[in-house]
Amino acid sequence: MSAQKDSCISSLIFLLFCACSIPRSGSASLQQEPSPQHYFSGLEAGRASLAFFTPSVSPGGQPFLEQIESSAEALQDYGISVVKVDCPKEDLSRYCGKENALRKAFLFRGSRLIREFPTDALFDVNSIVANVLFALLFNEVKYIETLADFENIENVLKGKSNMVFAYVPATGTAEHRAVMEAAFVYGTIHQFVLTTEAALLKATSPEDPDVSSAWLLFCHCQRATEPAQPCRRTALAQPLTLLNIHRHLKLMGAPLVTEVAEDPEKISTVHLQLGLPLVFILSQKETYEADRRTAEFVAWQLLGKAGVALLSRDLVDLNVLHRSNIALKTPDEGMPIQYLVLEDTDEVITLVEDKNKVKQIQEDEQEEEEDEDEKESNNQDIQDDQVVEAVSRDKKRELPLEQILVLTEENFHSSLSEAAQTVVLFYASWEAVSLAVLRSYSEVAAHLKGTPGVLLSRVNCWDWTGLCSQENVTQFPTLRIYKEGQQSVTYGGMWGTEELSSFILLSQVSCPLKLATMDEAEGYLRGEFPSELSSHHHTSLLGVFSTATSEAREAFEEAGNILSGHVRMGMYFEDDALALSQKYSVSPPALLLARSGGRSVEGIALSKHSVQDMVQMIRYELLDVFPEITVPNLPQYLQLRKPFLILFSAGDISQMESKEMLKLAKRRPQQEFVACWLNLKKTPVGHGILRTYFPTTPSLPVLLWVKLQAGGQVFKFPSEQPITEVNILSWLEKLQAGLEIPSSTLSEEDWKPPLPAYDFLQMMEHSMAELSPQPRDTPAEQPPNSPRGDTATQEEPSQESRAEEVGSPGRDLRGTAPRLAARDKQGKRHSEL
C-alpha cells in the first residue's frame, strides 16, 4: 500500500514538473499596456515581468513580437508576465527613447530593473526563456569559467549538498533552457553550476567528451564527508532535455542501496517506476557486511542505469536455489524475477548494461526445467569448472553445424583431397571443452562460408576412436589443417572465433612466402599481400638471406612451418638480398619487421641459426613494444617470466601517458620488464585484479610494478607524480635499491581447483561393471554400488557417486563417456553430435 502511495505522489510531482514544458493554447498571452506610466503603476512587488517598449507603429519589430508572444505561455508557468508597452511619439524617456526602440527588452522584479536584453539575443522561445530564467536565478545558478572555481564550489559543498554541473556550448539554446527550468524547480535542493567553457568540461570529465554537445554531471558532494575525499560524479547519458534531467535527478536522489525484507515481487522503487531494472543482492546474516559493501560497489557502477537492493534470506523465505546470489527484476509487466548465480560483480554490471544478456538469461530461465533433486544437493554439487557450467547451460541449444562436413573412417581420406585446404576438428561429444569449441567452430563456419579452397569438417572421436588413434590425436579438442602433399599443421592458440578464423586464413598462404623480386619484397613490407591476407593486420616479417647463409635460411623455413597460421612470414634470398638488407642497416641473415602497415621497418640481425632459437626469437620480436594486455594475449607475456610495469586505465590512455610509456618500453633489448597497459572497459577482469592487489580500488589511472615470479610484490607508483619517463625511471631505481615499500604481497599458496579431481579410469571401470549383466540380482534389487564396487550399505558413498545420484546438469557433462552412453539409450541429447 505504501509503495502505491509513493508511486502516486511521484507521478503527481512528475506531471506538475512536466507541465512547465507543455504549451497550453490560450492559457497565457502577451499583455499590452498603452503607456509606460500605466505599466509602472501596475507593477506588483516581487513579481517578475519582461517588458518590451515600442512605438505604436513598428513593422520592423513584428518577428520579435511573434517570438516574445510565443514565450509568454512558457514564462507564465514561472510567474513571469510578458508585456508590450506602447510608447507615445512624444515620450523620450529612458525606455521609450529613440535609441532603445526595437533594440532592447527589460526584465523587472517589481519596479526594480534586473537586466536589459538586446533583442537580437532573444531570437526564439528557447533563448527568451533561458536568458530570463538565467537572469532571475543569477544568485542561485553559478556561472564559472575555470577548474579552480569548480573545485572551490565542490569543497564548499562537501558534506552539505550536491552539485549539478551543466555545460552548454552556447547560451540561449534548448539545452540551456532545459538546465534553467530544472534549476528553477530543483535549485533549493541542489547547487546548480553552469559553464560554456569547453576546456572546463574536459578537465572535469574522465573521458574525452564531445564539446559540441551539452553535458550534465551530478556531483555527489554530500557523501564526501572528508575534505580530501573527492565528490563522485555521475554523467547524464541521455540528451539534455528537461524530462531527462528530471529523471536523472530523481535517480540521483534515490537511496544508493535499498534494504528490503519482503518478497521481491512486491517491491517497487523509483528505478522500476522510471523503466529501469532492479538488482537484488541476496544476503544472509553471516555475510551481511561483505554483501553490503558489494551492493554499494555495484550500485555506484550502475547508478543511473539500475537500482540495487539488499535482500536478506534470513527474513524472506525464497523458494529458489540456495546458491543463487543475484535476482533481477525488470520493469516489464508480467515478467518473472530472474534468480541467477553470477561469479563476480563484473557479470552483474554486464547483465544490466548488455540488454541481449538479459534477454538471453530470461529465455534460458523460461526453458529450464528445474530438477527437484538439485534443490537438496550439497555444496559439492557447485560446478567448479566454468567451461562445463557454460556448456551445461547451453545444452538444449541446437548448434548450426550444417556447413561442417562430418568425417568418418570411410570418408576421411577421400575428403582430404576435395579442397586445397581441409580443416578438421577432432573432438569428443561427451567432453565439455570440445562442446564449447564446437560452438566457436560453427561460428567460424558461418564467417568463412563461401571462402574458396577451404573445407571445414569434424570427427567425433567417441564414435571413431580408431581413426583418431591413427591420426595420433591424444587430446580433445584438436584442430588440424591438411594440404595435399604437405605435413598437417596443428593449431595451438586460443579457441575463440576470431583466432580460429585468422589461423585458417593465414594457413592458406605458404609460410614463409617466397618472394622472387626486390619489388615484391618491398611491396610485402609496404603491406601489399595476397588477397587471403588482406584483411589481417598482423605485423609482417621478412627473412633476408644471401647464398652464403643457407643454414640460417633452412632454419627459417622450418620455423615458418612451425609458425604457419600464426605468423605472416616472407622470405627473400635472391642475388640482391644484400642491397635490400643494407637499406635497413643490417646484413644477411636478417629479419625485417614491418609494423603498422609498413610505415616503419625494423632490421634485426639473425645471430642464432637453430630452429628452436629462431622460433623463440620470432615470437618475441612480434610482441608489441607497449601492448594492451587482454585475456587472449596475456599468456604470451607471462611466458617471458619478467616483472610487469602495468598501467591500469578506465578507458583509452592519454597521448601523453602513451608517449612516455612508449619511450620507456623502447629501451630494448636491455628491457628487463614488460611495460604494458590494461583497459578496464575492454577487459573488466582487471577490476578483480585490482581488488586482489588493494583492499580498496585506487583511483585510475594507476601504474603498478608487479613481480609475479619473485615474492609476488606489488608496488604502486606515487599518484601525486605525473606519469613521465623520468619519474618512472627514478621510481624504478628506488625499487631496485629497496627504498620503496610494497603496497601488497600476493599469496604464495598454489592455485588449486575447489573440488578434487575425478579419477576417470576408476569411474569407467565402475560404469562398465554397471552395464555388465548381474546373474544374482535383477536391476531393481541391485543396491547402488560405490566406485570401488562395494555396496552402499557397506561404505559411505563417495562424492562422485553422490553427485551422480543427484544428477545435476553440471555433473552430466563431467561424467565419463560410458555413463553418458548408458543415458543416451533412454533419450539422447545432442543427437547431431
Side-chain angles (χ1 to χ4, degrees):
M1 186 66 183
S2 61
Q4 278 186 332
K5 183 178 179 182
D6 291 342
S7 176
C8 292
I9 295 173
S10 177
S11 300
L12 180 60
I13 295 173
F14 179 74
L15 292 173
L16 289 172
F17 183 85
C18 292
C20 300
S21 59
I22 301 175
R24 301 183 299 277
S25 177
S27 61
S29 63
L30 181 67
Q31 299 178 24
Q32 298 195 23
E33 294 289 351
S35 67
Q37 293 79 8
H38 196 273
Y39 167 69
F40 285 116
S41 64
L43 292 177
E44 299 176 17
R47 183 174 176 83
S49 63
L50 180 66
F52 177 65
F53 297 83
T54 178
S56 55
V57 179
S58 179
Q62 190 61 33
F64 173 71
L65 287 176
E66 291 176 358
Q67 295 299 324
I68 207 83
E69 185 168 8
S70 299
S71 69
E73 294 182 354
L75 291 175
Q76 182 67 33
D77 291 319
Y78 300 102
I80 305 167
S81 59
V82 181
V83 184
K84 174 181 174 292
V85 182
D86 293 328
C87 291
K89 292 182 179 180
E90 65 275 11
D91 192 341
L92 299 178
S93 64
R94 174 184 179 185
Y95 300 106
C96 285
K98 186 176 181 181
E99 67 274 13
N100 287 324
L102 298 176
R103 295 181 185 175
K104 292 184 179 180
F106 301 84
L107 179 64
F108 295 89
R109 178 179 276 125
S111 59
R112 185 166 65 91
L113 178 64
I114 300 296
R115 177 89 180 267
E116 296 180 6
F117 296 102
T119 54
D120 57 357
L122 307 178
F123 46 88
D124 63 6
V125 175
N126 288 328
S127 64
I128 294 171
V129 175
N131 283 301
V132 169
L133 290 179
F134 195 19
L136 288 175
L137 299 176
F138 182 78
N139 293 323
E140 289 79 16
V141 179
K142 299 183 182 298
Y143 181 85
I144 61 174
E145 296 180 346
T146 66
L147 181 61
D149 294 336
F150 180 91
E151 292 173 344
N152 288 337
I153 295 175
E154 271 195 330
N155 291 333
V156 171
L157 293 177
K158 284 180 180 178
K160 302 174 185 176
S161 181
N162 298 315
M163 178 171 70
V164 180
F165 171 68
Y167 162 82
V168 291
T171 58
T173 60
E175 292 83 2
H176 183 206
R177 173 185 174 180
V179 172
M180 299 314 304
E181 290 182 314
F184 192 93
V185 177
Y186 290 100
T188 57
I189 304 173
H190 309 301
Q191 174 64 65
F192 276 70
V193 175
L194 182 71
T195 190
T196 56
E197 298 294 326
L200 179 55
L201 172 66
K202 291 184 176 181
T204 54
S205 300
E207 300 178 0
D208 188 18
D210 179 11
V211 296
S212 64
S213 303
W215 287 76
L216 185 139
L217 293 176
F218 188 90
C219 304
H220 306 265
C221 295
Q222 196 170 14
R223 293 179 179 270
T225 55
E226 299 294 332
Q229 186 179 357
C231 299
R232 289 177 180 261
R233 301 167 188 168
T234 306
L236 171 63
Q238 290 78 33
L240 215 63
T241 65
L242 182 60
L243 186 60
N244 286 338
I245 295 174
H246 162 75
R247 186 174 182 270
H248 192 63
L249 297 183
K250 290 286 289 182
L251 292 173
M252 297 304 102
L256 184 64
V257 175
T258 305
E259 294 197 23
V260 296
E262 58 179 321
D263 188 346
E265 294 284 0
K266 301 177 182 178
I267 300 296
S268 177
T269 66
V270 65
H271 306 87
L272 293 169
Q273 295 162 14
L274 294 177
L276 297 179
L278 182 61
V279 176
F280 293 87
I281 308 293
L282 305 189
S283 176
Q284 51 194 357
K285 184 166 57 177
E286 294 79 8
T287 60
Y288 171 80
E289 293 298 333
D291 295 335
R292 176 76 193 187
R293 290 193 298 270
T294 300
E296 290 178 353
F297 175 82
V298 172
W300 279 116
Q301 303 300 311
L302 296 178
L303 196 58
K305 303 173 184 176
V308 176
L310 193 64
L311 176 61
S312 173
R313 282 181 173 272
D314 302 315
L315 302 176
V316 182
D317 185 18
L318 297 176
N319 187 24
V320 297
L321 294 178
H322 181 73
R323 59 195 181 104
S324 297
N325 53 8
I326 297 294
L328 180 68
K329 184 175 184 179
T330 63
D332 303 324
E333 188 174 351
M335 183 61 67
I337 293 178
Q338 310 297 315
Y339 291 92
L340 312 167
V341 182
L342 300 184
E343 293 292 332
D344 53 34
T345 54
D346 293 335
E347 289 191 4
V348 181
I349 295 166
T350 302
L351 180 72
V352 172
E353 294 181 341
D354 186 353
K355 302 300 182 184
N356 294 328
K357 185 76 172 176
V358 178
K359 183 178 179 181
Q360 175 188 333
I361 292 180
Q362 289 173 346
E363 292 173 351
D364 291 347
E365 293 292 333
Q366 289 173 357
E367 293 175 357
E368 189 70 17
E369 296 177 1
E370 190 173 15
D371 191 336
E372 291 297 326
D373 290 336
E374 187 173 330
K375 296 179 183 178
E376 302 171 2
S377 64
N378 54 30
N379 290 334
Q380 180 67 17
D381 290 318
I382 298 176
Q383 186 53 259
D384 64 302
D385 190 318
Q386 294 182 0
V387 176
V388 175
E389 187 74 26
V391 171
S392 176
R393 284 198 307 268
D394 294 344
K395 64 185 178 182
K396 291 187 177 181
R397 297 193 172 197
E398 295 285 335
L399 295 179
L401 302 174
E402 300 81 9
Q403 305 295 327
I404 304 173
L405 179 65
V406 177
L407 299 183
T408 66
E409 289 181 349
E410 288 78 13
N411 68 352
F412 180 80
H413 295 287
S414 61
S415 298
L416 297 184
S417 59
E418 292 182 4
Q421 178 175 292
T422 304
V423 185
V424 183
L425 176 68
F426 298 90
Y427 69 100
S429 57
W430 52 269
E431 195 263 334
V433 177
S434 290
L435 297 178
V437 170
L438 196 61
R439 178 168 293 280
S440 296
Y441 196 51
S442 66
E443 294 171 356
V444 171
H447 178 66
L448 299 183
K449 183 179 180 181
T451 303
V454 177
L455 174 65
L456 267 62
S457 60
R458 56 191 172 101
V459 176
N460 184 352
C461 290
W462 170 238
D463 294 331
W464 307 102
T465 54
L467 174 59
C468 295
S469 298
Q470 180 183 335
E471 293 299 312
N472 197 29
V473 175
T474 58
Q475 64 182 22
F476 307 123
T478 293
L479 186 134
R480 285 187 185 157
I481 293 181
Y482 293 83
K483 295 182 181 179
E484 191 171 356
Q486 298 182 25
Q487 186 176 359
S488 63
V489 178
T490 302
Y491 178 65
M494 302 289 286
W495 290 102
T497 304
E498 184 177 348
E499 291 82 4
L500 288 172
S501 300
S502 175
F503 174 74
I504 293 169
L505 290 177
L506 281 176
S507 298
Q508 286 186 278
V509 180
S510 299
C511 187
L513 180 65
K514 296 178 181 178
L515 305 170
T517 67
M518 178 81 82
D519 289 340
E520 286 185 5
E522 298 210 353
Y524 179 83
L525 292 174
R526 287 193 303 269
E528 300 171 4
F529 311 116
S531 59
E532 296 88 344
L533 303 181
S534 59
S535 62
H536 292 267
H537 305 289
H538 294 260
T539 296
S540 299
L541 184 147
L542 178 64
V544 182
F545 305 92
S546 64
T547 53
T549 56
S550 58
E551 180 184 352
R553 189 186 75 190
E554 291 172 359
F556 186 78
E557 288 190 75
E558 184 60 31
N561 292 333
I562 295 173
L563 297 172
S564 177
H566 298 283
V567 179
R568 186 159 58 192
M569 293 173 58
M571 185 170 66
Y572 188 69
F573 54 94
E574 301 300 324
D575 295 337
D576 52 358
L578 180 61
L580 177 63
S581 61
Q582 288 182 344
K583 181 177 178 180
Y584 300 101
S585 304
V586 289
S587 299
L591 296 181
L592 300 180
L593 266 69
R595 304 182 190 273
S596 305
R599 288 192 293 272
S600 64
V601 177
E602 179 184 356
I604 303 168
L606 279 174
S607 57
K608 298 181 179 180
H609 299 166
S610 73
V611 175
Q612 184 177 0
D613 289 338
M614 201 166 291
V615 168
Q616 185 175 356
M617 178 184 180
I618 290 172
R619 283 176 171 162
Y620 176 76
E621 294 296 341
L622 288 175
L623 295 176
D624 290 334
V625 177
F626 177 51
E628 177 187 353
I629 294 297
T630 62
V631 173
N633 71 12
L634 177 60
Q636 303 174 42
Y637 296 97
L638 287 175
Q639 288 174 359
L640 300 177
R641 302 188 65 80
K642 295 180 180 181
F644 274 55
L645 181 65
I646 181 167
L647 178 64
F648 288 81
S649 174
D652 291 334
I653 56 178
S654 68
Q655 290 185 352
M656 186 275 289
E657 292 167 344
S658 177
K659 180 180 178 182
E660 295 296 322
M661 292 292 292
L662 195 58
K663 282 172 19 183
L664 188 72
K666 283 184 176 178
R667 293 174 171 264
R668 299 170 72 174
Q670 294 82 14
Q671 188 68 275
E672 296 180 352
F673 55 85
V674 177
C676 55
W677 68 289
L678 191 147
N679 186 343
L680 295 178
K681 279 195 171 181
K682 293 168 61 176
T683 311
V685 70
H687 290 288
I689 296 174
L690 287 178
R691 287 195 295 271
T692 302
Y693 291 167
F694 301 99
T696 58
T697 304
S699 59
L700 301 176
V702 59
L703 181 65
L704 304 179
W705 173 272
V706 185
K707 300 173 68 174
L708 295 173
Q709 283 76 30
Q713 293 177 325
V714 179
F715 295 86
K716 180 177 176 290
F717 180 75
S719 56
E720 66 274 9
Q721 295 186 20
I723 297 176
T724 65
E725 181 188 17
V726 174
N727 289 342
I728 296 173
L729 287 175
S730 174
W731 178 58
L732 293 180
E733 288 177 1
K734 293 180 181 178
L735 289 183
Q736 298 296 331
L739 301 179
E740 292 286 329
I741 300 175
S743 301
S744 61
T745 302
L746 303 180
S747 172
E748 296 183 358
E749 295 182 7
D750 293 336
W751 288 0
K752 296 179 180 180
L755 301 179
Y758 282 85
D759 187 341
F760 286 102
L761 293 178
Q762 184 184 67
M763 294 176 68
M764 289 178 68
E765 291 173 357
H766 168 58
S767 300
M768 287 305 215
E770 282 185 332
L771 294 174
S772 62
Q774 300 291 333
R776 296 182 182 179
D777 302 299
T778 64
E781 298 168 343
Q782 179 80 12
N785 290 347
S786 70
R788 302 187 178 212
D790 302 325
T791 62
T793 56
Q794 295 172 333
E795 185 177 271
E796 182 70 17
S798 70
Q799 293 174 335
E800 290 87 350
S801 63
R802 287 199 300 268
E804 182 176 352
E805 289 169 1
V806 172
S808 67
R811 291 303 176 198
D812 282 350
L813 292 175
R814 288 294 299 271
T816 59
R819 288 205 312 140
L820 286 177
R823 289 198 183 98
D824 287 346
K825 292 178 180 178
Q826 300 174 355
K828 186 175 182 180
R829 298 182 189 269
H830 299 308
S831 59
E832 78 281 359
L833 301 180

